[in-house]
Amino acid sequence: YADSNGYEADNHRNIWRYRDWLIDAFNSDMPFDQFTIEQLAGDLLPSPNSDQLIATAFHRNTMTNTEGGTIDEEFRTASVMDRLNTTFEVWQSTSIGCVQCHSHPYDPFEHREYYQLMAYFNNTQDADLSSMAPSLPLWDSVTTAELEEVITFLEKEKTGPFRANDPSLSGRLAAALFPKLIPQNCDDFLNVLINNDGSVSNHLVNFNEGLDKRLFFKFQDISMDGIKAIGYNFATKGPDARIRVYLDSLDGTLIQSKDLPFTSLKAANVWDYKYIKETYLIPTFSGTHDLVFELINVSAKAPDGLVAIKEIELQYQGAISSKQIEAQQAKLLELRSKADLTPIMKAKTPGFARTTRVFDRGSRLTPTDTVVAQLPQTLSRDNSIGKDRMALAKWLVSPENPLTSRVMVNRLWEQLFGNGIVPTVEDFGTQASSATHPELLDYLALQFMNEYQWSIKELLKSVLLSATYRQSSKTTPDKLEKDPYNQWFSRGARFRLSSEQIRDQALAVSGLLNETIGGRSVMPVQPEGIWQVIYNSQKWETTAEDRYRRGLYTYWKRTAPYPSMMSFDSPSRELCVSRRIRTNTPLQALVTLNDPVYIEAANALAKRMSVVEGGLTEAIKAGYYSALMQEPPAEVLTILEALYHEGSAGLSENTIQLASEKGSNLEGPMALVANAILNLDSFIMKE
């Protein structure tokens, strides 16, 4: 997960609703098989709701390269491969990425099989665009209420043809606007740019790369009975733009071909558009058809042949529209523009589907044989599971594939114990570490699938209540000699917490933690100069209500990650990482001693300690207990008391300056003690 696209430009990505869906799924204990299906293929469910569509944003977390001159197809392909590699690492603990270039040197996966698997992911509509298309529009509660009011009015008052019924709010909105068509709501597109403002254009990031391509978008199931003309709200940058309209397919009956007039003569910027409305007649047709629109740059020059279309309006014979209906539709368009767009997965439609080919030595520039979606022989000899992502998702959590359950059990075990039963949680292949307790792994996997019905909470409960987990992490010389790395689980787990957990724990103990669940990413305090954005005006701005949110909600820019979390081994999130490394470096101590959030936590903890009755000793005991849930040993208590007295005697103005940054001051000797408690080894370790 990240809040930006990655690569050089690394622009903002509005995908926080997926994180909310994920949190809700875990909190509600969504069965893991359902969890899998909705993330990998929620858009392919019958009449998917908005939550199921948002779930598919999991695979929209791949990076997008919007730097000028890049080849969209190259980076679209890279994203598809990332989805394949991630899916098989996450659900199958299989290192399949190397098979892109050659057959696996150790595991039984053939080069060709990689592209057969890739075919499952290769037919989605996203195409490395600078926009988020395809996306799901959602609105805040106030705008939603206004939309409902206007849509309900139009559903009662508007007459004439309607499109097929879609019960979702966005579907009802599109039906209420009909016969206006918003390009952003098209059913499929090919090579065009779908903009976040709802328009479509042939202004590609890499203009020259698109010269040999045809650019299409289409609307399905349109009633042609009585259509006499098609109107466009469009803008051009020169006299060389043309639009063509076909029935049903890219090579279907041509029903309209028009050269669009030059509209933007006085635009201040060469890329600014001045929109006008024009209507063009078409021949009479009947029945229900798909309308396929093609944008053509006749001269193959920029900006001469560039065009953007904001709205299309089908004009029916005898259609009657009152000024009141027109006013309500105009209001609807205004409300629609307030949508919060979340990128989702959406399957290609017939006629717009892609062909998957094997790349010689993994290079997109050397395609060879055509392949279709199929599982590797080593995982399944039954190739009749289907050819789409839904078939793959269902197979992953089917009884015919016991690997997923074992992989998931191992991942959860690793989170609880610090090591997996198979230590290489990302790799179950021939080069992986052997399972230390294979029978236990098989038993828990069977329980997870059958007895617990894929309930993660039930599985965790069974492990947490076990005698193995409830052991003390204290050890003996004999255990250290026989099991130095605790791979036999001869004692309780002891390992360093993750970066997010360390931060959250300091805030929780101090009483500062904002426990609000969900919402947009926030920007807590970080050093100046970390975030230098060169492609947009976005700034790192910390607000009072957001500075103490959980680390999970910290805004994550891939090219400039939150620095204190990077010090504690958080990955940059450019790719999926199954297992974080754990290091022990001086930088980590510098973070917890000096980072503003830890100083503020120490000050807050000190204030709580200062109101404890019974004197200094009791105050320190209370602070220590709140941090570690145990009484301080006598030796530690003596040291902390001495630290308090040293701070009182040796430092003036009741302030201890640890850094020159604003807000990085410990406020008094009690804060010095609190800071020491928050930096104890026991505090940042799970024991």
Side-chain angles (χ1 to χ4, degrees), residues 422-449:
V422 177
T424 50
V425 296
E426 74 283 357
D427 186 6
F428 270 39
T430 59
Q431 297 299 295
S433 302
S434 299
T436 55
H437 303 74
E439 296 87 354
L440 173 62
L441 182 62
D442 289 344
Y443 169 77
L444 288 175
L446 286 170
Q447 291 287 96
F448 185 36
M449 282 192 295

PDB file of all heavy atoms in Angstrom, residues 422-449:
ATOM      1  N   VAL A 422       7.742 -22.535   8.659  1.00  0.00           N
ATOM      2  CA  VAL A 422       8.693 -22.477   7.549  1.00  0.00           C
ATOM      3  C   VAL A 422       9.313 -21.082   7.622  1.00  0.00           C
ATOM      4  O   VAL A 422       8.639 -20.088   7.342  1.00  0.00           O
ATOM      5  CB  VAL A 422       8.007 -22.688   6.184  1.00  0.00           C
ATOM      6  CG1 VAL A 422       9.018 -22.558   5.048  1.00  0.00           C
ATOM      7  CG2 VAL A 422       7.318 -24.048   6.135  1.00  0.00           C
ATOM      8  N   PRO A 423      10.588 -20.965   8.031  1.00  0.00           N
ATOM      9  CA  PRO A 423      11.175 -19.627   8.263  1.00  0.00           C
ATOM     10  C   PRO A 423      11.108 -18.705   7.055  1.00  0.00           C
ATOM     11  O   PRO A 423      10.947 -17.499   7.205  1.00  0.00           O
ATOM     12  CB  PRO A 423      12.615 -19.946   8.658  1.00  0.00           C
ATOM     13  CG  PRO A 423      12.553 -21.327   9.242  1.00  0.00           C
ATOM     14  CD  PRO A 423      11.517 -22.040   8.436  1.00  0.00           C
ATOM     15  N   THR A 424      11.216 -19.257   5.850  1.00  0.00           N
ATOM     16  CA  THR A 424      11.138 -18.436   4.643  1.00  0.00           C
ATOM     17  C   THR A 424       9.666 -18.280   4.261  1.00  0.00           C
ATOM     18  O   THR A 424       9.160 -18.982   3.378  1.00  0.00           O
ATOM     19  CB  THR A 424      11.926 -19.083   3.494  1.00  0.00           C
ATOM     20  OG1 THR A 424      11.516 -20.456   3.370  1.00  0.00           O
ATOM     21  CG2 THR A 424      13.416 -19.015   3.751  1.00  0.00           C
ATOM     22  N   VAL A 425       8.975 -17.355   4.909  1.00  0.00           N
ATOM     23  CA  VAL A 425       7.529 -17.235   4.708  1.00  0.00           C
ATOM     24  C   VAL A 425       7.191 -16.862   3.274  1.00  0.00           C
ATOM     25  O   VAL A 425       6.075 -17.126   2.805  1.00  0.00           O
ATOM     26  CB  VAL A 425       6.915 -16.202   5.675  1.00  0.00           C
ATOM     27  CG1 VAL A 425       7.062 -16.644   7.111  1.00  0.00           C
ATOM     28  CG2 VAL A 425       7.524 -14.819   5.471  1.00  0.00           C
ATOM     29  N   GLU A 426       8.138 -16.261   2.559  1.00  0.00           N
ATOM     30  CA  GLU A 426       7.883 -15.849   1.178  1.00  0.00           C
ATOM     31  C   GLU A 426       8.173 -16.944   0.172  1.00  0.00           C
ATOM     32  O   GLU A 426       7.909 -16.771  -1.030  1.00  0.00           O
ATOM     33  CB  GLU A 426       8.713 -14.596   0.845  1.00  0.00           C
ATOM     34  CG  GLU A 426      10.202 -14.843   0.648  1.00  0.00           C
ATOM     35  CD  GLU A 426      10.975 -15.033   1.958  1.00  0.00           C
ATOM     36  OE1 GLU A 426      10.367 -14.922   3.035  1.00  0.00           O
ATOM     37  OE2 GLU A 426      12.195 -15.271   1.899  1.00  0.00           O
ATOM     38  N   ASP A 427       8.713 -18.088   0.631  1.00  0.00           N
ATOM     39  CA  ASP A 427       9.147 -19.119  -0.316  1.00  0.00           C
ATOM     40  C   ASP A 427       8.961 -20.502   0.299  1.00  0.00           C
ATOM     41  O   ASP A 427       9.613 -20.851   1.275  1.00  0.00           O
ATOM     42  CB  ASP A 427      10.616 -18.886  -0.690  1.00  0.00           C
ATOM     43  CG  ASP A 427      11.098 -19.835  -1.783  1.00  0.00           C
ATOM     44  OD1 ASP A 427      10.262 -20.583  -2.328  1.00  0.00           O
ATOM     45  OD2 ASP A 427      12.305 -19.823  -2.101  1.00  0.00           O
ATOM     46  N   PHE A 428       8.050 -21.268  -0.317  1.00  0.00           N
ATOM     47  CA  PHE A 428       7.848 -22.661   0.086  1.00  0.00           C
ATOM     48  C   PHE A 428       8.492 -23.623  -0.913  1.00  0.00           C
ATOM     49  O   PHE A 428       8.221 -24.814  -0.892  1.00  0.00           O
ATOM     50  CB  PHE A 428       6.345 -22.973   0.156  1.00  0.00           C
ATOM     51  CG  PHE A 428       5.720 -22.723   1.508  1.00  0.00           C
ATOM     52  CD1 PHE A 428       6.085 -21.626   2.265  1.00  0.00           C
ATOM     53  CD2 PHE A 428       4.747 -23.569   2.006  1.00  0.00           C
ATOM     54  CE1 PHE A 428       5.498 -21.390   3.498  1.00  0.00           C
ATOM     55  CE2 PHE A 428       4.146 -23.346   3.239  1.00  0.00           C
ATOM     56  CZ  PHE A 428       4.523 -22.248   3.983  1.00  0.00           C
ATOM     57  N   GLY A 429       9.335 -23.104  -1.792  1.00  0.00           N
ATOM     58  CA  GLY A 429       9.901 -23.922  -2.852  1.00  0.00           C
ATOM     59  C   GLY A 429      11.042 -24.804  -2.396  1.00  0.00           C
ATOM     60  O   GLY A 429      11.340 -24.922  -1.202  1.00  0.00           O
ATOM     61  N   THR A 430      11.730 -25.396  -3.364  1.00  0.00           N
ATOM     62  CA  THR A 430      12.792 -26.353  -3.043  1.00  0.00           C
ATOM     63  C   THR A 430      13.983 -25.694  -2.365  1.00  0.00           C
ATOM     64  O   THR A 430      14.757 -26.371  -1.683  1.00  0.00           O
ATOM     65  CB  THR A 430      13.277 -27.060  -4.319  1.00  0.00           C
ATOM     66  OG1 THR A 430      13.770 -26.081  -5.243  1.00  0.00           O
ATOM     67  CG2 THR A 430      12.161 -27.848  -4.972  1.00  0.00           C
ATOM     68  N   GLN A 431      14.164 -24.397  -2.559  1.00  0.00           N
ATOM     69  CA  GLN A 431      15.270 -23.688  -1.930  1.00  0.00           C
ATOM     70  C   GLN A 431      14.877 -23.052  -0.602  1.00  0.00           C
ATOM     71  O   GLN A 431      15.683 -22.344   0.013  1.00  0.00           O
ATOM     72  CB  GLN A 431      15.795 -22.606  -2.877  1.00  0.00           C
ATOM     73  CG  GLN A 431      16.378 -23.153  -4.161  1.00  0.00           C
ATOM     74  CD  GLN A 431      17.563 -24.070  -3.904  1.00  0.00           C
ATOM     75  OE1 GLN A 431      18.592 -23.636  -3.408  1.00  0.00           O
ATOM     76  NE2 GLN A 431      17.406 -25.342  -4.228  1.00  0.00           N
ATOM     77  N   ALA A 432      13.659 -23.281  -0.160  1.00  0.00           N
ATOM     78  CA  ALA A 432      13.191 -22.715   1.101  1.00  0.00           C
ATOM     79  C   ALA A 432      13.723 -23.510   2.281  1.00  0.00           C
ATOM     80  O   ALA A 432      14.203 -24.646   2.138  1.00  0.00           O
ATOM     81  CB  ALA A 432      11.664 -22.723   1.123  1.00  0.00           C
ATOM     82  N   SER A 433      13.628 -22.910   3.451  1.00  0.00           N
ATOM     83  CA  SER A 433      13.950 -23.641   4.672  1.00  0.00           C
ATOM     84  C   SER A 433      12.873 -24.695   4.922  1.00  0.00           C
ATOM     85  O   SER A 433      11.698 -24.481   4.617  1.00  0.00           O
ATOM     86  CB  SER A 433      14.011 -22.679   5.862  1.00  0.00           C
ATOM     87  OG  SER A 433      14.967 -21.668   5.644  1.00  0.00           O
ATOM     88  N   SER A 434      13.274 -25.803   5.474  1.00  0.00           N
ATOM     89  CA  SER A 434      12.309 -26.865   5.774  1.00  0.00           C
ATOM     90  C   SER A 434      11.434 -26.467   6.959  1.00  0.00           C
ATOM     91  O   SER A 434      11.859 -25.713   7.840  1.00  0.00           O
ATOM     92  CB  SER A 434      13.041 -28.173   6.094  1.00  0.00           C
ATOM     93  OG  SER A 434      13.813 -28.586   4.986  1.00  0.00           O
ATOM     94  N   ALA A 435      10.220 -26.971   6.974  1.00  0.00           N
ATOM     95  CA  ALA A 435       9.331 -26.723   8.105  1.00  0.00           C
ATOM     96  C   ALA A 435       9.900 -27.369   9.356  1.00  0.00           C
ATOM     97  O   ALA A 435      10.324 -28.534   9.329  1.00  0.00           O
ATOM     98  CB  ALA A 435       7.941 -27.268   7.808  1.00  0.00           C
ATOM     99  N   THR A 436       9.934 -26.617  10.445  1.00  0.00           N
ATOM    100  CA  THR A 436      10.441 -27.184  11.695  1.00  0.00           C
ATOM    101  C   THR A 436       9.436 -28.151  12.307  1.00  0.00           C
ATOM    102  O   THR A 436       9.825 -29.102  12.988  1.00  0.00           O
ATOM    103  CB  THR A 436      10.743 -26.058  12.702  1.00  0.00           C
ATOM    104  OG1 THR A 436       9.560 -25.259  12.883  1.00  0.00           O
ATOM    105  CG2 THR A 436      11.875 -25.172  12.196  1.00  0.00           C
ATOM    106  N   HIS A 437       8.155 -27.920  12.053  1.00  0.00           N
ATOM    107  CA  HIS A 437       7.091 -28.760  12.609  1.00  0.00           C
ATOM    108  C   HIS A 437       6.053 -29.006  11.514  1.00  0.00           C
ATOM    109  O   HIS A 437       4.956 -28.413  11.535  1.00  0.00           O
ATOM    110  CB  HIS A 437       6.432 -28.087  13.815  1.00  0.00           C
ATOM    111  CG  HIS A 437       7.378 -27.735  14.922  1.00  0.00           C
ATOM    112  ND1 HIS A 437       8.259 -26.674  14.830  1.00  0.00           N
ATOM    113  CD2 HIS A 437       7.571 -28.308  16.142  1.00  0.00           C
ATOM    114  CE1 HIS A 437       8.959 -26.597  15.951  1.00  0.00           C
ATOM    115  NE2 HIS A 437       8.565 -27.574  16.762  1.00  0.00           N
ATOM    116  N   PRO A 438       6.366 -29.829  10.546  1.00  0.00           N
ATOM    117  CA  PRO A 438       5.466 -30.014   9.396  1.00  0.00           C
ATOM    118  C   PRO A 438       4.090 -30.538   9.784  1.00  0.00           C
ATOM    119  O   PRO A 438       3.082 -30.134   9.193  1.00  0.00           O
ATOM    120  CB  PRO A 438       6.213 -31.007   8.503  1.00  0.00           C
ATOM    121  CG  PRO A 438       7.242 -31.645   9.385  1.00  0.00           C
ATOM    122  CD  PRO A 438       7.594 -30.633  10.417  1.00  0.00           C
ATOM    123  N   GLU A 439       4.033 -31.422  10.785  1.00  0.00           N
ATOM    124  CA  GLU A 439       2.730 -31.958  11.180  1.00  0.00           C
ATOM    125  C   GLU A 439       1.856 -30.865  11.785  1.00  0.00           C
ATOM    126  O   GLU A 439       0.643 -30.813  11.555  1.00  0.00           O
ATOM    127  CB  GLU A 439       2.893 -33.108  12.183  1.00  0.00           C
ATOM    128  CG  GLU A 439       3.603 -34.329  11.618  1.00  0.00           C
ATOM    129  CD  GLU A 439       5.121 -34.217  11.749  1.00  0.00           C
ATOM    130  OE1 GLU A 439       5.616 -33.134  12.169  1.00  0.00           O
ATOM    131  OE2 GLU A 439       5.818 -35.197  11.426  1.00  0.00           O
ATOM    132  N   LEU A 440       2.463 -29.986  12.567  1.00  0.00           N
ATOM    133  CA  LEU A 440       1.723 -28.876  13.161  1.00  0.00           C
ATOM    134  C   LEU A 440       1.188 -27.949  12.065  1.00  0.00           C
ATOM    135  O   LEU A 440       0.035 -27.514  12.120  1.00  0.00           O
ATOM    136  CB  LEU A 440       2.627 -28.090  14.117  1.00  0.00           C
ATOM    137  CG  LEU A 440       2.050 -26.795  14.687  1.00  0.00           C
ATOM    138  CD1 LEU A 440       0.806 -27.078  15.530  1.00  0.00           C
ATOM    139  CD2 LEU A 440       3.102 -26.048  15.509  1.00  0.00           C
ATOM    140  N   LEU A 441       2.007 -27.669  11.073  1.00  0.00           N
ATOM    141  CA  LEU A 441       1.587 -26.803   9.978  1.00  0.00           C
ATOM    142  C   LEU A 441       0.400 -27.417   9.238  1.00  0.00           C
ATOM    143  O   LEU A 441      -0.590 -26.727   8.947  1.00  0.00           O
ATOM    144  CB  LEU A 441       2.756 -26.566   9.020  1.00  0.00           C
ATOM    145  CG  LEU A 441       2.486 -25.636   7.832  1.00  0.00           C
ATOM    146  CD1 LEU A 441       2.117 -24.233   8.309  1.00  0.00           C
ATOM    147  CD2 LEU A 441       3.709 -25.577   6.916  1.00  0.00           C
ATOM    148  N   ASP A 442       0.476 -28.687   8.944  1.00  0.00           N
ATOM    149  CA  ASP A 442      -0.622 -29.354   8.249  1.00  0.00           C
ATOM    150  C   ASP A 442      -1.893 -29.377   9.100  1.00  0.00           C
ATOM    151  O   ASP A 442      -3.007 -29.158   8.595  1.00  0.00           O
ATOM    152  CB  ASP A 442      -0.227 -30.787   7.875  1.00  0.00           C
ATOM    153  CG  ASP A 442       0.806 -30.825   6.757  1.00  0.00           C
ATOM    154  OD1 ASP A 442       0.976 -29.799   6.078  1.00  0.00           O
ATOM    155  OD2 ASP A 442       1.444 -31.872   6.579  1.00  0.00           O
ATOM    156  N   TYR A 443      -1.732 -29.638  10.382  1.00  0.00           N
ATOM    157  CA  TYR A 443      -2.888 -29.688  11.283  1.00  0.00           C
ATOM    158  C   TYR A 443      -3.597 -28.334  11.330  1.00  0.00           C
ATOM    159  O   TYR A 443      -4.824 -28.248  11.174  1.00  0.00           O
ATOM    160  CB  TYR A 443      -2.437 -30.099  12.691  1.00  0.00           C
ATOM    161  CG  TYR A 443      -3.505 -29.916  13.747  1.00  0.00           C
ATOM    162  CD1 TYR A 443      -4.553 -30.823  13.866  1.00  0.00           C
ATOM    163  CD2 TYR A 443      -3.459 -28.816  14.605  1.00  0.00           C
ATOM    164  CE1 TYR A 443      -5.539 -30.644  14.827  1.00  0.00           C
ATOM    165  CE2 TYR A 443      -4.444 -28.629  15.565  1.00  0.00           C
ATOM    166  CZ  TYR A 443      -5.484 -29.545  15.672  1.00  0.00           C
ATOM    167  OH  TYR A 443      -6.464 -29.360  16.617  1.00  0.00           O
ATOM    168  N   LEU A 444      -2.822 -27.251  11.536  1.00  0.00           N
ATOM    169  CA  LEU A 444      -3.432 -25.924  11.626  1.00  0.00           C
ATOM    170  C   LEU A 444      -4.054 -25.504  10.296  1.00  0.00           C
ATOM    171  O   LEU A 444      -5.092 -24.826  10.265  1.00  0.00           O
ATOM    172  CB  LEU A 444      -2.379 -24.896  12.065  1.00  0.00           C
ATOM    173  CG  LEU A 444      -1.926 -24.981  13.521  1.00  0.00           C
ATOM    174  CD1 LEU A 444      -0.800 -23.987  13.797  1.00  0.00           C
ATOM    175  CD2 LEU A 444      -3.089 -24.732  14.481  1.00  0.00           C
ATOM    176  N   ALA A 445      -3.436 -25.911   9.187  1.00  0.00           N
ATOM    177  CA  ALA A 445      -3.989 -25.572   7.872  1.00  0.00           C
ATOM    178  C   ALA A 445      -5.340 -26.246   7.668  1.00  0.00           C
ATOM    179  O   ALA A 445      -6.286 -25.629   7.148  1.00  0.00           O
ATOM    180  CB  ALA A 445      -3.009 -25.984   6.775  1.00  0.00           C
ATOM    181  N   LEU A 446      -5.444 -27.509   8.071  1.00  0.00           N
ATOM    182  CA  LEU A 446      -6.720 -28.220   7.960  1.00  0.00           C
ATOM    183  C   LEU A 446      -7.770 -27.604   8.877  1.00  0.00           C
ATOM    184  O   LEU A 446      -8.939 -27.454   8.498  1.00  0.00           O
ATOM    185  CB  LEU A 446      -6.532 -29.700   8.290  1.00  0.00           C
ATOM    186  CG  LEU A 446      -5.836 -30.538   7.208  1.00  0.00           C
ATOM    187  CD1 LEU A 446      -5.480 -31.913   7.749  1.00  0.00           C
ATOM    188  CD2 LEU A 446      -6.732 -30.658   5.978  1.00  0.00           C
ATOM    189  N   GLN A 447      -7.351 -27.237  10.097  1.00  0.00           N
ATOM    190  CA  GLN A 447      -8.278 -26.579  11.016  1.00  0.00           C
ATOM    191  C   GLN A 447      -8.762 -25.246  10.435  1.00  0.00           C
ATOM    192  O   GLN A 447      -9.943 -24.903  10.525  1.00  0.00           O
ATOM    193  CB  GLN A 447      -7.589 -26.331  12.368  1.00  0.00           C
ATOM    194  CG  GLN A 447      -7.298 -27.580  13.170  1.00  0.00           C
ATOM    195  CD  GLN A 447      -8.568 -28.178  13.758  1.00  0.00           C
ATOM    196  OE1 GLN A 447      -9.151 -29.092  13.186  1.00  0.00           O
ATOM    197  NE2 GLN A 447      -9.001 -27.655  14.888  1.00  0.00           N
ATOM    198  N   PHE A 448      -7.853 -24.497   9.867  1.00  0.00           N
ATOM    199  CA  PHE A 448      -8.171 -23.186   9.305  1.00  0.00           C
ATOM    200  C   PHE A 448      -9.230 -23.310   8.207  1.00  0.00           C
ATOM    201  O   PHE A 448     -10.219 -22.565   8.181  1.00  0.00           O
ATOM    202  CB  PHE A 448      -6.886 -22.558   8.760  1.00  0.00           C
ATOM    203  CG  PHE A 448      -7.034 -21.144   8.263  1.00  0.00           C
ATOM    204  CD1 PHE A 448      -7.876 -20.235   8.892  1.00  0.00           C
ATOM    205  CD2 PHE A 448      -6.307 -20.709   7.161  1.00  0.00           C
ATOM    206  CE1 PHE A 448      -7.994 -18.926   8.437  1.00  0.00           C
ATOM    207  CE2 PHE A 448      -6.417 -19.407   6.699  1.00  0.00           C
ATOM    208  CZ  PHE A 448      -7.268 -18.513   7.333  1.00  0.00           C
ATOM    209  N   MET A 449      -9.042 -24.275   7.328  1.00  0.00           N
ATOM    210  CA  MET A 449      -9.983 -24.438   6.213  1.00  0.00           C
ATOM    211  C   MET A 449     -11.314 -25.032   6.652  1.00  0.00           C
ATOM    212  O   MET A 449     -12.377 -24.589   6.205  1.00  0.00           O
ATOM    213  CB  MET A 449      -9.376 -25.343   5.132  1.00  0.00           C
ATOM    214  CG  MET A 449      -8.370 -24.678   4.233  1.00  0.00           C
ATOM    215  SD  MET A 449      -7.977 -25.696   2.775  1.00  0.00           S
ATOM    216  CE  MET A 449      -7.203 -27.115   3.540  1.00  0.00           C
TER     217      MET A 449
END
